[in-house]
Amino acid sequence: MEPDSEPDPNRRERLIDTACAALAAMRAGEDDGALDHVASAVQSAPNSHADARELMLLLFHECSAMVAELGDGGSTPVKMQVYDDDGQEVPIDEADPPVRTAVRTLLAEVHGDQAGAKAQIEIALANADPDEMAALMVQALRWTLRLSDECVSRDLPVPAWIRG
């Protein structure tokens, strides 16, 4: 793992730009294009491991904020369900590894456990193969889009960079 010794003052802006480009590609139905934006940006970053982690954490953090908005600021529970390829609900522990990681990361964020969310992403970065990491990124982007669409339809706040 690369050390994160020198904080990059432009990292957040760079990550948001990358997320915007990836979300725009996904809105256009270009999942591969979205992943190309992410891969290009992360690979060219001074600390690619940290940027990959921070980009996913940024997306999951925003998803968490939108879940809270949809749940009336946390007063109404929001149910998370995981489905298999046949459309049957499955327990989180039986889901594919990228989906498990995504759910656990989002749940950690929803419960204010940023360290737990970061740990989930770190485990994935250390152990997942490239296809699983791509699936995890696609999951984060899809949830960001779906949650933002739902928030917009209910006149709930969504950051401008997510709305496109």
Side-chain angles (χ1 to χ4, degrees):
M1 176 172 27
E2 300 169 41
D4 208 4
S5 59
E6 298 275 331
D8 178 355
N10 300 317
R11 177 182 280 160
R12 182 163 172 82
E13 183 179 331
R14 193 175 63 250
L15 294 175
I16 287 173
D17 290 347
T18 300
C20 284
L23 290 168
M26 289 202 78
R27 274 191 192 91
E30 301 170 4
D31 289 7
D32 289 341
L35 290 174
D36 290 344
H37 284 292
V38 170
S40 175
V42 168
Q43 290 170 352
S44 68
N47 187 337
S48 60
H49 179 92
D51 272 26
R53 178 190 67 227
E54 294 305 317
L55 179 58
M56 283 188 271
L57 288 173
L58 171 69
L59 292 168
F60 283 114
H61 178 76
E62 294 300 339
C63 285
S64 170
M66 290 184 282
V67 165
E69 286 294 333
L70 290 166
D72 292 325
S75 64
T76 305
V78 175
K79 184 177 181 182
M80 291 187 69
Q81 297 169 291
V82 177
Y83 297 93
D84 63 16
D85 293 336
D86 298 323
Q88 300 296 314
E89 188 172 357
V90 296
I92 291 170
D93 291 334
E94 293 177 20
D96 291 336
V99 174
R100 269 196 319 260
T101 300
V103 170
R104 289 177 177 156
T105 302
L106 182 56
L107 286 172
E109 281 286 346
V110 165
H111 293 287
D113 182 7
Q114 285 87 19
K118 184 177 179 180
Q120 289 297 317
I121 299 298
E122 286 292 345
I123 291 167
L125 285 167
N127 299 307
D129 65 40
D131 287 342
E132 288 176 331
M133 288 308 300
L136 178 58
M137 181 58 71
V138 166
Q139 191 69 54
L141 291 164
R142 282 187 182 141
W143 284 354
T144 302
L145 286 177
R146 289 181 184 151
L147 288 165
S148 67
D149 288 347
E150 189 61 30
C151 284
V152 167
S153 76
R154 296 183 191 192
D155 285 331
L156 296 171
V158 175
W161 66 267
I162 292 175
R163 284 183 276 135

Coordinates of all heavy atoms in Angstrom, one line a residue, residues 61-160:
H61 N -20.2 7.8 0.9 CA -20.6 8.9 1.9 C -21.8 9.7 1.3 O -22.8 9.9 2.1 CB -19.4 9.8 2.1 CG -19.8 10.9 3.0 ND1 -19.9 10.8 4.4 CD2 -20.0 12.2 2.8 CE1 -20.2 11.9 5.0 NE2 -20.3 12.8 4.0
E62 N -21.8 10.0 0.1 CA -22.9 10.8 -0.5 C -24.2 9.9 -0.6 O -25.3 10.4 -0.4 CB -22.5 11.3 -1.9 CG -21.5 12.4 -1.9 CD -21.8 13.6 -1.1 OE1 -23.1 13.9 -0.8 OE2 -20.9 14.4 -0.7
C63 N -24.0 8.6 -0.9 CA -25.1 7.7 -0.8 C -25.7 7.6 0.6 O -26.9 7.7 0.7 CB -24.7 6.3 -1.3 SG -24.4 6.1 -3.0
S64 N -24.9 7.6 1.6 CA -25.3 7.6 2.9 C -26.1 8.8 3.3 O -27.2 8.8 3.9 CB -24.1 7.5 3.9 OG -24.5 7.7 5.2
A65 N -25.7 10.0 2.8 CA -26.4 11.2 3.1 C -27.7 11.2 2.4 O -28.7 11.7 3.0 CB -25.5 12.4 2.6
M66 N -27.8 10.7 1.2 CA -29.1 10.6 0.5 C -30.0 9.6 1.1 O -31.2 9.8 1.2 CB -28.8 10.3 -1.0 CG -28.2 11.5 -1.7 SD -28.0 11.2 -3.5 CE -26.6 10.2 -3.6
V67 N -29.5 8.5 1.6 CA -30.3 7.5 2.4 C -30.9 8.2 3.6 O -32.1 8.0 3.9 CB -29.5 6.3 2.8 CG1 -30.2 5.4 3.8 CG2 -29.2 5.4 1.6
A68 N -30.1 9.0 4.3 CA -30.6 9.7 5.5 C -31.7 10.7 5.1 O -32.7 10.8 5.8 CB -29.4 10.5 6.2
E69 N -31.5 11.4 4.0 CA -32.6 12.3 3.5 C -33.9 11.5 3.2 O -34.9 12.0 3.5 CB -32.1 13.1 2.2 CG -31.1 14.1 2.5 CD -31.7 15.3 3.4 OE1 -32.9 15.6 3.3 OE2 -30.9 15.9 4.0
L70 N -33.7 10.4 2.5 CA -34.9 9.6 2.1 C -35.6 9.0 3.4 O -36.8 8.7 3.4 CB -34.5 8.5 1.2 CG -34.1 8.9 -0.2 CD1 -33.4 7.8 -1.0 CD2 -35.3 9.4 -1.0
G71 N -34.8 8.8 4.4 CA -35.3 8.3 5.7 C -35.7 9.4 6.7 O -35.6 9.2 7.9
D72 N -36.1 10.6 6.2 CA -36.5 11.7 7.0 C -35.4 12.0 8.0 O -35.7 12.2 9.2 CB -37.8 11.5 7.7 CG -39.0 11.4 6.7 OD1 -38.9 12.2 5.7 OD2 -39.9 10.7 6.9
G73 N -34.1 12.1 7.6 CA -33.1 12.5 8.4 C -32.7 11.4 9.4 O -32.0 11.7 10.4
G74 N -33.1 10.2 9.2 CA -32.7 9.1 10.0 C -33.9 8.7 10.9 O -33.8 7.7 11.6
S75 N -35.0 9.4 10.9 CA -36.1 9.0 11.8 C -37.0 7.9 11.2 O -37.7 7.2 11.9 CB -37.1 10.2 12.0 OG -37.6 10.7 10.8
T76 N -36.8 7.6 9.9 CA -37.6 6.5 9.3 C -36.5 5.5 8.7 O -35.7 5.9 7.9 CB -38.4 7.0 8.1 OG1 -39.3 8.0 8.6 CG2 -39.2 5.9 7.5
P77 N -36.6 4.3 9.1 CA -35.6 3.3 8.6 C -35.7 3.1 7.1 O -36.8 3.2 6.5 CB -36.0 2.0 9.3 CG -37.0 2.3 10.3 CD -37.5 3.7 10.0
V78 N -34.6 2.9 6.4 CA -34.5 2.6 5.0 C -34.0 1.2 4.9 O -33.0 0.9 5.4 CB -33.6 3.6 4.3 CG1 -33.5 3.2 2.8 CG2 -34.1 5.0 4.4
K79 N -34.8 0.3 4.2 CA -34.5 -1.1 4.1 C -33.5 -1.3 2.9 O -33.8 -0.8 1.8 CB -35.7 -1.9 3.9 CG -35.5 -3.4 3.9 CD -36.8 -4.2 3.8 CE -36.5 -5.7 3.8 NZ -37.7 -6.4 3.6
M80 N -32.5 -2.1 3.1 CA -31.6 -2.4 2.1 C -31.8 -3.9 1.8 O -31.9 -4.7 2.7 CB -30.1 -2.2 2.5 CG -29.7 -0.8 2.6 SD -28.0 -0.6 2.9 CE -27.3 -1.1 1.3
Q81 N -32.0 -4.2 0.5 CA -32.2 -5.6 0.0 C -31.2 -5.9 -1.0 O -30.8 -5.1 -1.8 CB -33.6 -5.7 -0.5 CG -34.7 -5.4 0.5 CD -36.0 -5.3 -0.1 OE1 -36.3 -4.4 -0.9 NE2 -36.9 -6.3 0.1
V82 N -30.8 -7.2 -1.0 CA -29.8 -7.7 -2.0 C -30.5 -8.8 -2.8 O -31.2 -9.7 -2.1 CB -28.5 -8.2 -1.3 CG1 -27.6 -8.8 -2.3 CG2 -27.9 -7.1 -0.5
Y83 N -30.4 -8.8 -4.1 CA -31.0 -9.8 -4.9 C -30.0 -10.5 -5.7 O -29.0 -9.9 -6.1 CB -32.1 -9.1 -5.9 CG -33.2 -8.4 -5.1 CD1 -33.1 -7.1 -4.8 CD2 -34.3 -9.1 -4.8 CE1 -34.1 -6.5 -4.1 CE2 -35.3 -8.5 -4.1 CZ -35.2 -7.2 -3.7 OH -36.3 -6.6 -3.0
D84 N -30.3 -11.8 -6.0 CA -29.4 -12.6 -6.9 C -29.8 -12.3 -8.4 O -30.7 -11.5 -8.7 CB -29.5 -14.1 -6.5 CG -30.8 -14.7 -6.7 OD1 -31.7 -14.1 -7.4 OD2 -31.0 -15.8 -6.2
D85 N -29.2 -13.0 -9.3 CA -29.4 -12.8 -10.7 C -30.8 -13.2 -11.1 O -31.3 -12.7 -12.1 CB -28.4 -13.6 -11.5 CG -27.0 -13.1 -11.4 OD1 -26.8 -11.9 -11.0 OD2 -26.0 -13.9 -11.6
D86 N -31.5 -14.0 -10.3 CA -32.9 -14.4 -10.6 C -33.9 -13.5 -10.0 O -35.1 -13.8 -10.1 CB -33.1 -15.9 -10.2 CG -32.2 -16.9 -10.9 OD1 -31.9 -16.6 -12.1 OD2 -31.7 -17.8 -10.2
G87 N -33.5 -12.5 -9.3 CA -34.4 -11.5 -8.7 C -34.9 -12.0 -7.3 O -35.8 -11.4 -6.7
Q88 N -34.2 -13.0 -6.7 CA -34.6 -13.5 -5.4 C -33.8 -12.8 -4.3 O -32.6 -12.6 -4.5 CB -34.4 -15.0 -5.3 CG -35.2 -15.8 -6.3 CD -36.7 -15.7 -6.0 OE1 -37.2 -15.7 -4.9 NE2 -37.4 -15.4 -7.1
E89 N -34.4 -12.3 -3.3 CA -33.7 -11.7 -2.2 C -32.8 -12.7 -1.5 O -33.1 -13.8 -1.3 CB -34.6 -11.1 -1.1 CG -33.9 -10.2 -0.1 CD -34.9 -9.5 0.8 OE1 -36.1 -9.6 0.6 OE2 -34.4 -8.8 1.7
V90 N -31.5 -12.2 -1.2 CA -30.6 -13.1 -0.5 C -30.0 -12.4 0.6 O -29.9 -11.1 0.6 CB -29.4 -13.5 -1.5 CG1 -29.9 -14.4 -2.6 CG2 -28.6 -12.4 -2.0
P91 N -29.5 -13.1 1.7 CA -28.9 -12.5 2.8 C -27.6 -11.8 2.3 O -26.9 -12.3 1.4 CB -28.5 -13.6 3.8 CG -29.5 -14.7 3.4 CD -29.7 -14.5 1.9
I92 N -27.2 -10.7 2.9 CA -26.0 -10.0 2.5 C -24.8 -10.9 2.4 O -24.0 -10.9 1.5 CB -25.7 -8.8 3.5 CG1 -26.7 -7.7 3.3 CG2 -24.3 -8.2 3.3 CD1 -26.7 -6.7 4.4
D93 N -24.6 -11.8 3.4 CA -23.5 -12.7 3.4 C -23.4 -13.7 2.3 O -22.4 -14.4 2.0 CB -23.4 -13.5 4.8 CG -23.0 -12.6 5.9 OD1 -22.4 -11.5 5.7 OD2 -23.4 -12.9 7.1
E94 N -24.5 -13.9 1.6 CA -24.6 -14.8 0.4 C -24.5 -14.1 -0.9 O -24.4 -14.7 -2.0 CB -25.9 -15.6 0.4 CG -25.9 -16.6 1.6 CD -27.2 -17.3 1.7 OE1 -28.0 -17.4 0.6 OE2 -27.5 -17.9 2.8
A95 N -24.4 -12.7 -0.9 CA -24.2 -11.9 -2.1 C -22.8 -12.1 -2.7 O -21.9 -12.5 -2.0 CB -24.5 -10.5 -1.8
D96 N -22.7 -11.7 -3.9 CA -21.3 -11.7 -4.5 C -20.4 -10.8 -3.7 O -20.9 -9.7 -3.2 CB -21.4 -11.2 -6.0 CG -22.1 -12.2 -6.9 OD1 -22.1 -13.4 -6.5 OD2 -22.7 -11.8 -7.9
P97 N -19.1 -11.1 -3.7 CA -18.2 -10.2 -2.9 C -18.3 -8.7 -3.1 O -18.3 -8.0 -2.1 CB -16.8 -10.8 -3.2 CG -17.1 -12.2 -3.5 CD -18.4 -12.2 -4.3
P98 N -18.4 -8.2 -4.4 CA -18.4 -6.8 -4.5 C -19.7 -6.2 -3.9 O -19.7 -5.1 -3.4 CB -18.4 -6.6 -6.0 CG -17.8 -7.8 -6.6 CD -18.2 -8.9 -5.7
V99 N -20.8 -6.9 -4.1 CA -22.1 -6.4 -3.5 C -22.0 -6.4 -2.0 O -22.5 -5.5 -1.3 CB -23.3 -7.3 -4.0 CG1 -24.6 -6.9 -3.4 CG2 -23.4 -7.2 -5.5
R100 N -21.5 -7.5 -1.4 CA -21.3 -7.6 0.0 C -20.5 -6.4 0.5 O -20.9 -5.7 1.5 CB -20.6 -8.8 0.5 CG -21.4 -10.0 0.8 CD -20.7 -11.1 1.5 NE -19.3 -11.4 1.1 CZ -19.0 -12.4 0.3 NH1 -19.9 -13.2 -0.2 NH2 -17.7 -12.6 0.0
T101 N -19.4 -6.1 -0.1 CA -18.5 -5.0 0.3 C -19.3 -3.7 0.1 O -19.2 -2.8 1.0 CB -17.3 -4.9 -0.6 OG1 -16.6 -6.2 -0.4 CG2 -16.4 -3.8 -0.2
A102 N -20.0 -3.5 -1.0 CA -20.8 -2.3 -1.2 C -21.8 -2.1 0.0 O -22.0 -1.0 0.5 CB -21.5 -2.3 -2.5
V103 N -22.6 -3.1 0.3 CA -23.6 -3.0 1.3 C -23.0 -2.7 2.7 O -23.4 -1.8 3.4 CB -24.5 -4.3 1.4 CG1 -25.4 -4.3 2.6 CG2 -25.3 -4.4 0.1
R104 N -21.9 -3.4 3.0 CA -21.3 -3.2 4.3 C -20.7 -1.8 4.4 O -20.7 -1.2 5.4 CB -20.2 -4.3 4.5 CG -20.8 -5.6 4.8 CD -19.8 -6.7 5.0 NE -20.4 -8.0 5.3 CZ -19.8 -9.2 5.1 NH1 -18.7 -9.2 4.5 NH2 -20.5 -10.3 5.4
T105 N -20.1 -1.3 3.3 CA -19.5 0.0 3.3 C -20.6 1.0 3.5 O -20.5 2.0 4.3 CB -18.8 0.3 2.0 OG1 -17.7 -0.7 1.8 CG2 -18.1 1.6 2.0
L106 N -21.7 0.9 2.7 CA -22.8 1.8 2.9 C -23.4 1.8 4.3 O -23.7 2.8 4.9 CB -23.9 1.6 1.8 CG -25.1 2.6 1.8 CD1 -24.6 4.0 1.7 CD2 -26.1 2.2 0.7
L107 N -23.6 0.6 4.8 CA -24.2 0.5 6.2 C -23.2 1.2 7.2 O -23.7 1.8 8.1 CB -24.4 -1.0 6.5 CG -25.6 -1.6 5.9 CD1 -25.6 -3.1 6.2 CD2 -26.9 -1.0 6.3
A108 N -21.9 1.0 7.0 CA -21.0 1.6 7.9 C -21.2 3.1 7.8 O -21.2 3.8 8.9 CB -19.6 1.2 7.6
E109 N -21.2 3.7 6.6 CA -21.4 5.1 6.4 C -22.7 5.6 7.0 O -22.8 6.6 7.7 CB -21.3 5.5 4.9 CG -20.0 5.5 4.4 CD -19.2 6.8 4.8 OE1 -19.8 7.8 5.3 OE2 -18.0 6.8 4.6
V110 N -23.8 4.8 6.8 CA -25.1 5.2 7.3 C -25.1 5.3 8.8 O -25.7 6.2 9.4 CB -26.2 4.2 6.8 CG1 -27.5 4.4 7.6 CG2 -26.5 4.4 5.3
H111 N -24.3 4.5 9.5 CA -24.2 4.5 10.9 C -23.1 5.3 11.4 O -22.8 5.3 12.6 CB -24.1 3.0 11.4 CG -25.3 2.2 11.2 ND1 -26.5 2.4 11.9 CD2 -25.6 1.3 10.3 CE1 -27.4 1.6 11.5 NE2 -26.9 0.9 10.5
G112 N -22.5 6.2 10.6 CA -21.5 7.1 11.0 C -20.1 6.5 11.3 O -19.3 7.1 12.0
D113 N -19.9 5.3 10.8 CA -18.7 4.6 11.1 C -17.7 4.7 9.9 O -17.6 3.7 9.1 CB -19.0 3.1 11.4 CG -17.7 2.3 11.7 OD1 -16.6 2.8 11.9 OD2 -17.9 1.0 11.9
Q114 N -17.1 5.8 9.7 CA -16.2 6.1 8.6 C -15.0 5.1 8.6 O -14.6 4.7 7.6 CB -15.7 7.5 8.5 CG -16.8 8.5 8.0 CD -17.7 9.0 9.1 OE1 -17.3 8.9 10.3 NE2 -18.8 9.6 8.8
A115 N -14.5 4.8 9.8 CA -13.4 3.9 9.9 C -13.8 2.5 9.4 O -13.1 1.8 8.7 CB -12.9 3.8 11.3
G116 N -15.0 2.0 9.7 CA -15.5 0.8 9.2 C -15.7 0.8 7.7 O -15.4 -0.2 7.0
A117 N -16.2 1.9 7.2 CA -16.4 2.0 5.7 C -15.0 1.9 5.0 O -14.8 1.2 4.0 CB -17.1 3.3 5.4
K118 N -14.1 2.7 5.6 CA -12.7 2.7 5.0 C -12.1 1.3 5.1 O -11.5 0.8 4.1 CB -11.8 3.7 5.8 CG -10.5 3.8 5.2 CD -9.7 4.9 6.0 CE -8.3 5.1 5.5 NZ -7.5 6.1 6.2
A119 N -12.3 0.6 6.2 CA -11.8 -0.8 6.3 C -12.4 -1.7 5.3 O -11.6 -2.6 4.7 CB -12.1 -1.3 7.7
Q120 N -13.6 -1.6 5.0 CA -14.3 -2.5 3.9 C -13.6 -2.2 2.6 O -13.3 -3.2 1.9 CB -15.8 -2.2 3.8 CG -16.6 -2.7 5.0 CD -16.5 -4.2 5.1 OE1 -16.6 -5.0 4.1 NE2 -16.3 -4.7 6.3
I121 N -13.4 -0.9 2.3 CA -12.8 -0.6 1.0 C -11.3 -1.1 0.9 O -10.8 -1.6 -0.1 CB -12.8 0.9 0.7 CG1 -14.3 1.3 0.6 CG2 -12.1 1.3 -0.6 CD1 -15.1 0.7 -0.5
E122 N -10.6 -0.9 2.0 CA -9.2 -1.4 2.1 C -9.1 -2.9 1.9 O -8.2 -3.4 1.2 CB -8.6 -1.0 3.5 CG -8.2 0.5 3.6 CD -7.1 0.9 2.6 OE1 -6.4 0.1 2.1 OE2 -6.9 2.1 2.4
I123 N -10.0 -3.6 2.5 CA -10.0 -5.1 2.4 C -10.2 -5.4 0.9 O -9.5 -6.3 0.4 CB -11.1 -5.7 3.3 CG1 -10.7 -5.6 4.7 CG2 -11.3 -7.2 2.9 CD1 -11.8 -5.9 5.7
A124 N -11.2 -4.8 0.3 CA -11.4 -5.0 -1.2 C -10.2 -4.7 -2.0 O -9.8 -5.5 -2.9 CB -12.6 -4.2 -1.6
L125 N -9.6 -3.5 -1.7 CA -8.4 -3.1 -2.5 C -7.3 -4.1 -2.3 O -6.5 -4.4 -3.3 CB -8.0 -1.7 -2.1 CG -8.8 -0.6 -2.7 CD1 -8.5 0.7 -1.9 CD2 -8.6 -0.4 -4.2
A126 N -7.1 -4.7 -1.2 CA -6.0 -5.6 -0.9 C -6.3 -7.0 -1.5 O -5.4 -7.7 -1.8 CB -5.8 -5.7 0.6
N127 N -7.6 -7.4 -1.6 CA -7.9 -8.8 -1.9 C -8.7 -9.1 -3.2 O -8.6 -10.2 -3.7 CB -8.7 -9.4 -0.7 CG -7.9 -9.4 0.6 OD1 -6.7 -9.9 0.6 ND2 -8.4 -8.9 1.6
A128 N -9.4 -8.1 -3.6 CA -10.3 -8.3 -4.8 C -9.5 -8.3 -6.1 O -8.5 -7.5 -6.2 CB -11.4 -7.2 -4.8
D129 N -10.0 -9.0 -7.0 CA -9.4 -9.0 -8.4 C -9.9 -7.7 -9.1 O -10.9 -7.1 -8.6 CB -9.6 -10.2 -9.1 CG -11.0 -10.5 -9.5 OD1 -11.8 -9.6 -9.9 OD2 -11.4 -11.7 -9.4
P130 N -9.3 -7.3 -10.2 CA -9.7 -6.1 -10.9 C -11.2 -6.1 -11.3 O -11.9 -5.1 -11.2 CB -8.8 -6.1 -12.1 CG -7.6 -6.8 -11.7 CD -8.1 -7.9 -10.8
D131 N -11.8 -7.3 -11.7 CA -13.2 -7.3 -12.1 C -14.1 -7.1 -10.9 O -15.1 -6.4 -11.0 CB -13.5 -8.7 -12.7 CG -13.0 -8.9 -14.1 OD1 -12.6 -7.8 -14.7 OD2 -12.9 -10.0 -14.6
E132 N -13.7 -7.6 -9.7 CA -14.5 -7.3 -8.5 C -14.4 -5.8 -8.1 O -15.4 -5.3 -7.7 CB -14.0 -8.2 -7.3 CG -14.4 -9.7 -7.5 CD -13.8 -10.6 -6.4 OE1 -12.7 -10.2 -5.9 OE2 -14.4 -11.6 -6.2
M133 N -13.2 -5.2 -8.2 CA -13.1 -3.8 -7.9 C -14.0 -3.0 -8.9 O -14.6 -2.0 -8.5 CB -11.7 -3.4 -8.0 CG -10.8 -3.9 -6.8 SD -11.5 -3.5 -5.2 CE -11.6 -1.8 -5.2
A134 N -14.0 -3.4 -10.2 CA -14.8 -2.7 -11.2 C -16.3 -2.8 -10.8 O -17.0 -1.9 -10.9 CB -14.5 -3.2 -12.6
A135 N -16.7 -4.0 -10.4 CA -18.1 -4.2 -10.0 C -18.4 -3.4 -8.8 O -19.5 -2.9 -8.7 CB -18.3 -5.7 -9.7
L136 N -17.5 -3.3 -7.8 CA -17.7 -2.4 -6.6 C -17.9 -1.0 -7.0 O -18.8 -0.3 -6.6 CB -16.6 -2.6 -5.6 CG -16.7 -1.8 -4.4 CD1 -17.9 -2.1 -3.6 CD2 -15.4 -2.0 -3.5
M137 N -17.1 -0.5 -8.0 CA -17.2 0.9 -8.4 C -18.5 1.1 -9.1 O -19.2 2.1 -8.9 CB -16.0 1.2 -9.3 CG -16.0 2.7 -9.8 SD -16.0 3.9 -8.5 CE -14.4 3.8 -7.9
V138 N -18.9 0.2 -10.0 CA -20.1 0.3 -10.7 C -21.3 0.3 -9.7 O -22.2 1.1 -9.9 CB -20.3 -0.9 -11.7 CG1 -21.8 -1.0 -12.2 CG2 -19.4 -0.7 -12.9
Q139 N -21.2 -0.5 -8.7 CA -22.3 -0.5 -7.7 C -22.4 0.9 -7.0 O -23.5 1.4 -6.8 CB -22.0 -1.6 -6.6 CG -23.2 -1.9 -5.7 CD -24.3 -2.5 -6.4 OE1 -24.2 -3.5 -7.0 NE2 -25.5 -1.9 -6.3
A140 N -21.2 1.4 -6.6 CA -21.2 2.8 -6.0 C -21.8 3.8 -6.9 O -22.6 4.7 -6.5 CB -19.8 3.1 -5.5
L141 N -21.4 3.8 -8.2 CA -22.0 4.8 -9.1 C -23.5 4.6 -9.3 O -24.2 5.6 -9.4 CB -21.2 4.6 -10.4 CG -19.7 5.1 -10.4 CD1 -19.0 4.6 -11.6 CD2 -19.6 6.6 -10.3
R142 N -23.9 3.3 -9.5 CA -25.3 3.1 -9.7 C -26.2 3.5 -8.5 O -27.2 4.1 -8.7 CB -25.6 1.6 -10.0 CG -25.2 1.2 -11.4 CD -25.7 -0.3 -11.6 NE -25.3 -0.7 -12.9 CZ -24.8 -1.9 -13.2 NH1 -24.7 -2.8 -12.3 NH2 -24.5 -2.1 -14.5
W143 N -25.7 3.2 -7.3 CA -26.5 3.6 -6.1 C -26.5 5.2 -6.1 O -27.5 5.7 -5.7 CB -25.9 3.0 -4.9 CG -26.2 1.6 -4.7 CD1 -27.0 0.8 -5.4 CD2 -25.7 0.8 -3.7 NE1 -27.1 -0.4 -4.9 CE2 -26.2 -0.5 -3.8 CE3 -24.8 1.0 -2.6 CZ2 -26.0 -1.6 -3.0 CZ3 -24.5 -0.1 -1.8 CH2 -25.1 -1.4 -2.0
T144 N -25.4 5.8 -6.4 CA -25.4 7.3 -6.4 C -26.4 7.8 -7.3 O -27.2 8.7 -7.0 CB -23.9 7.8 -6.7 OG1 -23.0 7.2 -5.8 CG2 -23.9 9.3 -6.6
L145 N -26.5 7.3 -8.5 CA -27.5 7.7 -9.5 C -28.9 7.5 -9.0 O -29.7 8.4 -9.1 CB -27.2 7.1 -10.8 CG -26.1 7.6 -11.7 CD1 -25.9 6.8 -13.0 CD2 -26.2 9.0 -12.0
R146 N -29.1 6.2 -8.6 CA -30.5 5.9 -8.2 C -31.0 6.7 -7.0 O -32.1 7.2 -7.0 CB -30.6 4.4 -7.9 CG -30.5 3.6 -9.2 CD -30.6 2.1 -8.9 NE -30.4 1.3 -10.1 CZ -30.0 0.1 -10.1 NH1 -29.6 -0.5 -9.0 NH2 -29.8 -0.5 -11.3
L147 N -30.1 6.8 -6.0 CA -30.5 7.6 -4.8 C -30.7 9.1 -5.2 O -31.6 9.7 -4.7 CB -29.5 7.4 -3.7 CG -29.5 6.0 -3.0 CD1 -28.2 5.8 -2.2 CD2 -30.7 5.9 -2.2
S148 N -29.8 9.6 -6.0 CA -30.0 11.0 -6.4 C -31.3 11.2 -7.2 O -32.0 12.2 -6.9 CB -28.8 11.5 -7.2 OG -28.7 10.9 -8.4
D149 N -31.6 10.3 -8.1 CA -32.9 10.4 -8.8 C -34.1 10.4 -7.9 O -35.0 11.2 -8.0 CB -33.0 9.3 -9.8 CG -32.1 9.4 -11.0 OD1 -31.5 10.5 -11.2 OD2 -31.9 8.5 -11.8
E150 N -34.0 9.5 -6.9 CA -35.1 9.4 -5.9 C -35.2 10.7 -5.1 O -36.3 11.2 -4.8 CB -34.9 8.2 -5.0 CG -36.1 7.9 -4.2 CD -37.4 7.6 -4.9 OE1 -37.4 7.1 -6.1 OE2 -38.5 7.9 -4.4
C151 N -34.1 11.2 -4.6 CA -34.1 12.4 -3.8 C -34.6 13.6 -4.7 O -35.4 14.4 -4.2 CB -32.6 12.7 -3.3 SG -32.1 11.7 -1.9
V152 N -34.2 13.7 -5.9 CA -34.6 14.8 -6.8 C -36.1 14.7 -7.0 O -36.9 15.7 -6.9 CB -33.9 14.8 -8.1 CG1 -34.6 15.7 -9.1 CG2 -32.4 15.2 -7.9
S153 N -36.6 13.5 -7.2 CA -38.1 13.3 -7.4 C -38.9 13.7 -6.2 O -40.1 14.0 -6.3 CB -38.4 11.8 -7.8 OG -38.3 11.0 -6.7
R154 N -38.3 13.7 -5.0 CA -39.0 14.1 -3.7 C -38.6 15.5 -3.3 O -38.8 15.8 -2.1 CB -38.6 13.1 -2.7 CG -39.1 11.7 -2.9 CD -38.8 10.8 -1.8 NE -39.1 9.4 -2.1 CZ -39.1 8.4 -1.2 NH1 -38.9 8.7 0.1 NH2 -39.3 7.2 -1.6
D155 N -37.9 16.2 -4.1 CA -37.4 17.5 -3.8 C -36.5 17.6 -2.6 O -36.5 18.5 -1.7 CB -38.6 18.5 -3.6 CG -39.2 18.9 -4.9 OD1 -38.5 19.0 -5.9 OD2 -40.4 19.2 -4.9
L156 N -35.7 16.5 -2.4 CA -34.7 16.5 -1.3 C -33.4 16.9 -1.9 O -33.1 16.8 -3.1 CB -34.6 15.0 -0.8 CG -35.9 14.5 -0.2 CD1 -35.8 13.0 0.1 CD2 -36.2 15.3 1.1
P157 N -32.5 17.4 -1.0 CA -31.2 18.0 -1.5 C -30.3 16.9 -2.0 O -30.2 15.8 -1.5 CB -30.6 18.6 -0.2 CG -31.3 18.0 0.9 CD -32.7 17.6 0.4
V158 N -29.6 17.2 -3.1 CA -28.6 16.4 -3.8 C -27.5 17.4 -4.2 O -27.7 18.4 -4.8 CB -29.2 15.7 -5.0 CG1 -28.1 14.9 -5.7 CG2 -30.3 14.8 -4.6
P159 N -26.2 17.0 -3.9 CA -25.1 17.9 -4.3 C -25.2 18.2 -5.8 O -25.4 17.3 -6.6 CB -23.9 17.1 -3.9 CG -24.3 16.2 -2.8 CD -25.7 15.9 -3.1
A160 N -24.9 19.4 -6.2 CA -24.9 19.8 -7.6 C -24.0 18.9 -8.5 O -24.4 18.5 -9.6 CB -24.5 21.2 -7.7

